[in-house]
Amino acid sequence: MGSSAPVLGCRAMDAATFRRLGHRLVDWVADYRETLEARPVMSPSKPGEIRRRFPTSPPREGGRMDEAVAQLDTHVMPGITHWNHPSFFAYFPSNTTYASILADIVASGLGVQGMSWQTSPAATEVEEVTMDWLRQIVGLSTAFTGVVHDTASTATLCALLCAREKVSGFAQNGKGLQSGEAPLVVYASDQGHSSIEKAALLAGFGKDHLRLIATDDDHALRLDLLERAVAKDLAAGLRPCALVAAIGTTGTTAVDPLVGMADVAARHGLWLHVDAALAGTAMALPECRYLWEGVERADSVVFNPHKWMGVGFDFSAYYVRDPEHLIRVMSTNPSYLRTAHDSEVRNFRDWHIQLGRRFRSLKLWFFLVDEGVDALETRLRRDLENAQWLKVQVDTAAGWERLAPVPLQTVCVRHVPKEIAHDEAALATHNLAIARRVNESGNAYLTPSVLKGKQMLRLSIGSATTERRHVEALWSVLNAAAASAT
Ligand SMILES: *Cc1c(COP(=O)(O)O)cnc(C)c1O
């Protein structure tokens, strides 16, 4: 201290420049958000186009931030698909609210690691408070304790690791899965998210011990087939270990029969994990909670406030019934020291896979105090009504077919011209052409996807900016594309 001469070799931005550029970038983001609607939703960029704008080697000399900020518009924006656009109907809503953006600035500004309580007590305690708020918002009982994960994928991996260790009696403390005991088996529906398969493989169960159970006409897991699969595995000397229920599948938001699955889990001592990544947000609405009836009997539940809710990516909420078990599985402290109650504080590093952790709960806090639960409920109901409106249009229009129920905000359709109604290959080509037309028009963006051999157009509503008029426009664009697609 004392000397103001810059340290040789260290010429990072000073506070004055940070203020200037920071204000400019906040304006830039606000300008971007205000002009979102006028932009083509899907980036028209071709492979390599963005990469070619950048030098192939790193800058030797710094001090070029002004140039980089200007290049956001010229070099980066052409390659951006606008996820918060009101006509974004692809994948899933990924709402990143202003409040959540500001929280990210604060979290980065503080630059703290929240792995232990002591490394920043506020990081742990704000997370405890806000995750309890969130638990109340979605109507989970106090039997559940929450922790922030980065994504549902890692939470589901944690769940399967917890299942493995529970059923194997903590085999990880000895020979692990190499102990030669009967192989453990995981069950989920064939409509389950790919992260379930990935988690089962990474957790060492092996593809041969992952049962993807067929689904019914509504694309929900068939309980009779599940029971048969479990009985068959038991008869073969295998050990049923974990059951993953999808509440809102990725393809169609199908809802697995959770109560029946909880019965199966209880009967055979299986770990029950609920993947409600998208749909969990809907549980803020009391009228939607029937969709996950039985959730109170789950061992673990994950959902993503970083999808429909409004907490910017990444923010996944993982709720567990037995935090002590989670800690025993995730902690590398000697086992004789492992207990959730060995002090008055939580050390969240032992509640997931990685050690370091961002101060993510700031995003949930800012988001909730800004929007409030009442406005959140109103927005979610608007989205559900918009989906029902679209469903009615599809059901009453000639030439359109709906391929799944619409319990939430996703509508799965395809266009079926009479001449090719019985030609699956021609229907696939036709519907892919519609998707291409819509997406390349820039007027809306949807995801073409295949459901049980049928090419569908998946329309996912729920961007915070999407009003009825945008859904009406989508329906017009779809009809125009269907009329001209060959
Ligand atoms: C989006 C989604 C996931 C994956 O979420 P990530 O947070 O990206 O890992 C898992 N399951 C379902 C049902 C989803 O919709």
Side-chain angles (χ1 to χ4, degrees):
M1 302 291 111
S3 161
S4 61
V7 182
L8 193 66
C10 171
R11 66 147 322 286
M13 186 182 298
D14 59 19
T17 311
F18 176 71
R19 279 180 212 279
R20 180 177 59 78
L21 288 177
H23 288 288
R24 191 165 141 204
L25 282 171
V26 166
D27 279 338
W28 185 88
V29 172
D31 288 345
Y32 166 67
R33 291 300 181 104
E34 282 182 334
T35 55
L36 253 184
E37 193 166 349
R39 298 169 190 253
V41 193
M42 185 184 77
S43 165
S45 187
K46 302 275 178 296
E49 216 173 275
I50 301 299
R51 199 170 53 230
R52 275 195 294 276
R53 293 171 201 256
F54 287 80
T56 52
S57 48
R60 298 293 320 177
E61 248 174 75
R64 296 162 68 170
M65 270 299 293
D66 280 294
E67 190 186 323
V69 169
Q71 287 173 345
L72 283 175
D73 288 316
T74 55
H75 289 32
V76 175
M77 291 313 282
I80 292 297
T81 290
H82 306 291
W83 280 71
N84 284 266
H85 195 293
S87 295
F88 184 97
F89 300 104
Y91 308 102
F92 46 83
S94 184
N95 290 315
T96 305
T97 53
Y98 280 133
S100 153
I101 297 170
L102 293 177
D104 253 340
I105 294 180
V106 177
S108 298
L110 295 175
V112 301
Q113 289 279 348
M115 57 249 215
S116 312
W117 177 84
Q118 202 170 48
T119 58
S120 270
T124 296
E125 296 188 15
V126 173
E127 180 162 333
E128 289 172 325
V129 170
T130 53
M131 287 300 280
D132 193 65
W133 290 357
L134 190 64
R135 176 191 64 71
Q136 297 172 48
I137 289 170
V138 297
L140 286 175
S141 80
T142 52
F144 288 97
T145 311
V147 55
V148 181
H149 277 217
D150 51 4
T151 61
S153 301
T154 51
T156 293
L157 174 56
C158 282
L160 292 189
L161 293 171
C162 285
R164 187 189 75 189
E165 293 312 304
K166 185 177 178 211
V167 172
S168 71
F170 277 88
Q172 70 178 8
N173 285 341
K175 295 188 173 116
L177 285 189
Q178 319 288 8
S179 57
E181 288 187 34
L184 307 176
V185 186
V186 177
Y187 307 82
S189 99
D190 65 10
Q191 294 296 306
H193 190 263
S194 57
S195 59
I196 300 167
E197 175 168 1
K198 192 181 230 181
L201 300 188
L202 291 177
F205 289 93
K207 209 166 203 148
D208 289 355
H209 305 120
L210 172 64
R211 308 273 176 264
L212 297 180
I213 308 294
T215 51
D216 62 19
D217 291 343
D218 289 346
H219 315 296
L221 176 139
R222 270 183 58 185
L223 216 45
D224 58 326
L225 297 182
L226 171 68
E227 303 204 49
R228 207 182 298 168
V230 171
K232 195 172 157 209
D233 286 333
L234 283 170
L238 306 181
R239 295 178 75 187
C241 173
L243 187 47
V244 182
I247 301 301
T249 58
T250 307
T252 68
T253 64
V255 178
D256 285 347
L258 190 51
V259 171
M261 291 173 82
D263 289 341
V264 172
R267 208 174 310 132
H268 300 287
L270 294 162
W271 185 278
L272 178 60
H273 175 62
V274 172
D275 174 7
L278 171 89
T281 292
M283 305 310 160
L285 301 176
E287 66 267 31
C288 283
R289 290 192 193 144
Y290 75 94
L291 290 170
W292 74 0
E293 192 196 336
V295 71
E296 287 299 324
R297 295 164 67 192
D299 294 288
S300 53
V301 180
V302 66
F303 83 97
N304 283 346
H306 70 222
K307 283 181 167 168
W308 194 3
M309 189 171 274
V311 181
F313 192 82
D314 49 1
F315 191 109
S316 201
Y318 185 50
Y319 285 93
V320 295
R321 180 176 282 290
D322 184 358
E324 189 163 356
H325 180 73
L326 176 63
I327 293 165
R328 278 169 61 94
V329 175
M330 292 293 148
S331 165
T332 47
N333 295 331
S335 59
Y336 50 85
L337 290 180
R338 292 177 201 170
T339 152
H341 307 293
D342 62 356
S343 73
E344 313 149 76
V345 298
R346 289 180 188 157
N347 294 312
F348 278 132
R349 60 162 190 258
D350 293 332
W351 293 55
H352 50 43
I353 292 170
Q354 81 280 12
L355 171 66
R357 58 200 325 268
R358 286 169 55 75
F359 195 169
R360 289 195 185 86
S361 57
L362 284 173
K363 287 193 289 195
L364 181 58
W365 178 37
F366 275 20
F367 164 71
L368 286 174
V369 297
D370 179 55
E371 182 156 51
V373 179
D374 287 346
L376 170 65
E377 289 184 6
T378 304
R379 171 162 63 81
L380 298 176
R381 288 194 179 106
R382 174 201 67 180
D383 297 342
L384 294 173
E385 281 164 19
N386 282 341
Q388 290 304 314
W389 179 86
L390 185 58
K391 172 185 172 228
V392 170
Q393 309 314 305
V394 171
D395 288 355
T396 52
W400 287 93
E401 180 187 3
R402 185 163 52 81
L403 297 172
V406 185
L408 293 166
Q409 45 56 269
T410 303
V411 186
C412 298
V413 306
R414 64 175 181 168
H415 189 243
V416 184
K418 255 202 223 82
E419 320 81 74
I420 54 168
H422 302 291
D423 183 345
E424 278 302 329
L427 282 175
T429 307
H430 176 66
N431 280 278
L432 280 172
I434 295 174
R436 203 174 322 112
R437 265 175 190 271
V438 171
N439 292 347
E440 287 176 2
S441 78
N443 293 323
Y445 184 34
L446 58 85
T447 309
S449 134
V450 177
L451 176 68
K452 296 177 182 169
K454 294 178 179 174
Q455 179 63 55
M456 66 167 174
L457 306 172
R458 195 176 151 283
L459 312 169
S460 170
I461 296 169
S463 178
T465 50
T466 302
E467 301 288 349
R468 173 65 57 81
R469 68 185 166 89
H470 300 105
V471 184
E472 288 170 358
L474 168 68
W475 181 232
S476 303
V477 167
L478 276 171
N479 277 290
S484 58
T486 47

